Amino acid sequence: MAPALLDRAETQRRLEPLLARAEGADLVVLPELCATGYAFAGREEAWAGAEEVGDSRFLEFLAGRCAAHGFDVVTGFAERHGDLLGNAAVLVGAEGPVASYRKLHLFHREKLYFEPGDLGVPVIERRGMRVAMLVCFDWAFPEVWRLAALGGADLVCHPANLVLHGYAQRAVPVHAQINGYFVVTANRVGRERQLEFTGMSLIAGPRGEILAQAPDHGDHVEVVQIDLARARDKQVTPNNDLLGDRRPECYGGLTSPVEPTR
Amino acid sequence: MAPALLDRAETQRRLEPLLARAEGADLVVLPELCATGYAFAGREEAWAGAEEVGDSRFLEFLAGRCAAHGFDVVTGFAERHGDLLGNAAVLVGAEGPVASYRKLHLFHREKLYFEPGDLGVPVIERRGMRVAMLVCFDWAFPEVWRLAALGGADLVCHPANLVLHGYAQRAVPVHAQINGYFVVTANRVGRERQLEFTGMSLIAGPRGEILAQAPDHGDHVEVVQIDLARARDKQVTPNNDLLGDRRPECYGGLTSPVEPTR
């Protein structure tokens, strides 16, 4: 869907019927920065739209929808924390916000107003599911997709506002496959200032298969049933396990701050 | 192409005209275990076919072809080292073997006779190119593709004997894309004992684009010209760099031997 830039009331008006169509689901995933829109002119606009997780009319609205329809929601969220701004994903239930992630890898102009994430890659147990959250450009960093798997994630919720055509939509199913879990990439559509968003939201399964894919424009709601047992069985052959076969003693270079050769 | 199981003379006979067709190339990549074939009945057969890198008639043969045609070759190679066996990739020039890699992630029955690799992911400077080598099932471990990038690789040579349909052929271009380098996956074809190999060898570029792809059967030689500068420019936007945007201080979990939650 397309949030309305800096118009929370209009965004909520758009969301309400879409969320009603997801009744029966356990978990709904919305796009990145769903509460505010994306294309801020600068830090002032971002700050004006942002809210604190513990004091947010947008998250209260979602909690109400959760209560009404019986699901939880993961939403993108411009987050004030102290004097800082984060590009967050928040898991909300009927009782309010349950858990947060702050985008570790910021894209382009986001660096002008958001702080890079400082909460790692949490995995939250919820309704028997183990859920991780990543946001948009995180798609290009295989490290965080692996950290989600090592944290036991069955499912990665991936709110996005993708502007590059097809890259993430091709990479995400491979992240799902090599980590053996489900991924929901909820990408926004529409145009905002100079930016055009690419839609093509998708749900991928543990073999990298596409379980659902939205078109590149227009609202789209799709409910897919998943079998968590498939994400917990990492066996590839009788002798191979996607995570058990890792060689962490050989991976030290991944945590070194050394600059690559140029 | 298809090596002849445990028949080095026949394999060399098959290779000779194929290599001649690659004259003019700088670097030729051959499949995994090209010197011996793959489907060993057990350790005895693997040992019988294996050679030492410094004392190998197969690598001598390739060095001769390098001298004749003016290229270097990366080949898969069953390697004796001491009393051990490795599933290696060896870079050979006209002067003989130049550098080796030993497969870090062994597939299925390979674990019955090969030792897991112990040489890390070396990056070799050769003819102005920075070359890394990975072997077959390494495709499922994003860590080693990233280590190659951090080591400065322009090009990853990936000899393979893939039996699972389509998985690696879909993942490899994504590894190329998120690491911003070239990859050559040279996969064998044909049947050997109970195994059928999937061919579809490919060359991928730094945007994940497919520069060449072989069919799923039959011999195939293709020469592709690549621009190394494209692999050295990791910029995605004026504010983003595929490697520079990493957050290694957040990636500690990748090197921990902790078992994942089940």
Side-chain angles (χ1 to χ4, degrees):
Chain A
M1 54 83 67
L5 184 62
L6 296 167
D7 184 347
R8 190 173 58 239
E10 169 61 14
T11 297
Q12 292 177 189
R13 197 191 63 72
R14 294 180 189 176
L15 280 171
E16 209 160 311
L18 297 173
L19 289 169
R21 285 163 55 190
E23 187 160 301
D26 290 303
L27 181 62
V28 174
V29 186
L30 299 176
E32 181 183 15
L33 295 180
C34 187
T36 52
Y38 181 87
F40 305 122
R43 192 176 194 279
E44 269 183 41
E45 271 194 8
W47 182 264
E51 298 181 303
E52 293 183 18
V53 168
D55 180 23
S56 160
R57 292 169 66 185
F58 184 74
L59 298 181
E60 268 172 39
F61 158 76
L62 289 182
R65 298 298 86 207
C66 289
H69 299 301
F71 47 58
D72 295 329
V73 172
V74 168
T75 185
F77 183 72
E79 181 196 5
R80 294 187 192 181
H81 52 104
D83 296 331
L84 305 177
L85 286 175
N87 184 341
V90 182
L91 173 62
V92 184
E95 73 272 42
V98 172
S100 295
Y101 164 76
R102 291 179 186 143
K103 188 174 184 176
L104 282 165
H105 305 97
L106 297 172
F107 188 71
H108 208 357
R109 287 175 52 84
E110 297 169 30
K111 293 189 179 184
L112 305 180
Y113 26 90
F114 291 122
E115 297 296 313
D118 56 352
L119 300 176
V121 182
V123 177
I124 303 104
E125 180 109 24
R126 183 79 177 166
R127 300 186 186 220
M129 291 182 286
R130 295 191 291 249
V131 179
M133 297 178 275
L134 295 172
V135 176
C136 203
F137 189 50
D138 285 329
W139 72 263
F141 298 86
E143 293 88 348
V144 287
W145 297 86
R146 193 61 122 187
L147 288 172
L150 293 171
D154 301 316
L155 173 65
V156 178
C157 299
H158 180 225
N161 278 191
L162 295 159
V163 293
L164 304 174
H165 270 278
Y167 285 138
Q169 287 91 341
R170 186 164 66 148
V172 162
V174 170
H175 292 312
Q177 171 193 355
I178 63 188
N179 290 291
Y181 51 39
F182 296 89
V183 181
V184 182
T185 294
N187 188 29
R188 68 162 288 177
V189 292
R191 177 178 284 277
E192 207 171 75
R193 290 175 172 161
Q194 301 90 325
L195 297 178
E196 184 149 7
F197 300 95
T198 59
M200 306 286 288
S201 294
L202 65 90
I203 302 178
R207 294 278 182 231
E209 73 276 26
I210 306 292
L211 300 172
Q213 183 134 37
D216 65 0
H217 65 283
D219 298 331
H220 190 78
V221 178
E222 193 155 340
V223 180
V224 169
Q225 185 154 356
I226 63 176
D227 176 3
L228 296 182
R230 292 190 55 218
R232 293 179 188 187
D233 175 9
K234 304 295 191 192
Q235 206 172 26
V236 183
T237 75
N239 297 331
N240 290 102
D241 182 282
L242 284 178
L243 298 182
D245 278 357
R246 296 175 71 248
R247 303 282 310 276
E249 73 281 12
C250 302
Y251 300 159
L254 297 175
T255 61
S256 150
V258 175
E259 278 302 295
T261 320
R262 291 285 173 205
Chain B
M1 52 83 67
L5 184 62
L6 295 169
D7 184 346
R8 190 174 58 239
E10 169 62 13
T11 297
Q12 292 177 189
R13 196 191 61 74
R14 295 180 188 176
L15 279 171
E16 206 159 313
L18 297 173
L19 289 168
R21 285 163 55 190
E23 187 161 302
D26 291 303
L27 182 61
V28 175
V29 186
L30 300 177
E32 181 183 14
L33 295 179
C34 187
T36 51
Y38 182 86
F40 305 122
R43 191 176 193 279
E44 268 184 43
E45 271 193 8
W47 182 264
E51 298 182 301
E52 292 182 20
V53 168
D55 181 23
S56 159
R57 292 171 65 184
F58 184 73
L59 297 181
E60 268 173 39
F61 158 76
L62 289 182
R65 296 300 86 208
C66 289
H69 301 299
F71 47 56
D72 295 329
V73 172
V74 168
T75 185
F77 183 71
E79 181 197 5
R80 294 186 193 184
H81 52 103
D83 294 332
L84 304 177
L85 286 175
N87 184 340
V90 182
L91 173 61
V92 184
E95 73 272 42
V98 173
S100 295
Y101 164 76
R102 291 178 186 145
K103 187 175 185 177
L104 282 166
H105 306 95
L106 297 172
F107 188 72
H108 207 359
R109 286 175 51 84
E110 297 169 30
K111 293 189 179 184
L112 305 180
Y113 26 89
F114 290 122
E115 297 297 312
D118 56 353
L119 300 176
V121 181
V123 176
I124 304 105
E125 181 109 25
R126 183 78 178 167
R127 299 184 186 223
M129 292 182 286
R130 295 190 291 249
V131 178
M133 297 178 273
L134 294 173
V135 176
C136 202
F137 189 50
D138 286 328
W139 72 264
F141 298 87
E143 292 88 348
V144 287
W145 298 85
R146 192 59 121 188
L147 288 171
L150 293 170
D154 302 315
L155 174 64
V156 178
C157 300
H158 180 224
N161 278 190
L162 295 159
V163 293
L164 303 174
H165 269 278
Y167 285 138
Q169 287 92 341
R170 186 163 65 146
V172 162
V174 170
H175 292 313
Q177 172 193 355
I178 63 188
N179 290 292
Y181 50 39
F182 296 89
V183 181
V184 182
T185 295
N187 187 30
R188 68 163 288 178
V189 292
R191 178 179 282 278
E192 207 172 75
R193 291 176 171 161
Q194 301 89 325
L195 298 178
E196 184 148 7
F197 300 96
T198 60
M200 306 285 288
S201 293
L202 64 90
I203 301 177
R207 295 277 182 231
E209 75 276 25
I210 306 292
L211 300 173
Q213 183 134 37
D216 65 0
H217 65 280
D219 297 331
H220 190 78
V221 178
E222 193 155 341
V223 180
V224 169
Q225 184 153 358
I226 64 176
D227 176 2
L228 296 182
R230 292 190 56 218
R232 291 178 189 187
D233 175 9
K234 304 294 190 191
Q235 206 173 24
V236 181
T237 75
N239 298 329
N240 290 102
D241 183 282
L242 284 178
L243 298 182
D245 279 357
R246 297 174 71 246
R247 303 282 309 278
E249 73 281 12
C250 303
Y251 301 158
L254 298 175
T255 61
S256 150
V258 176
E259 278 301 294
T261 321
R262 291 285 174 207

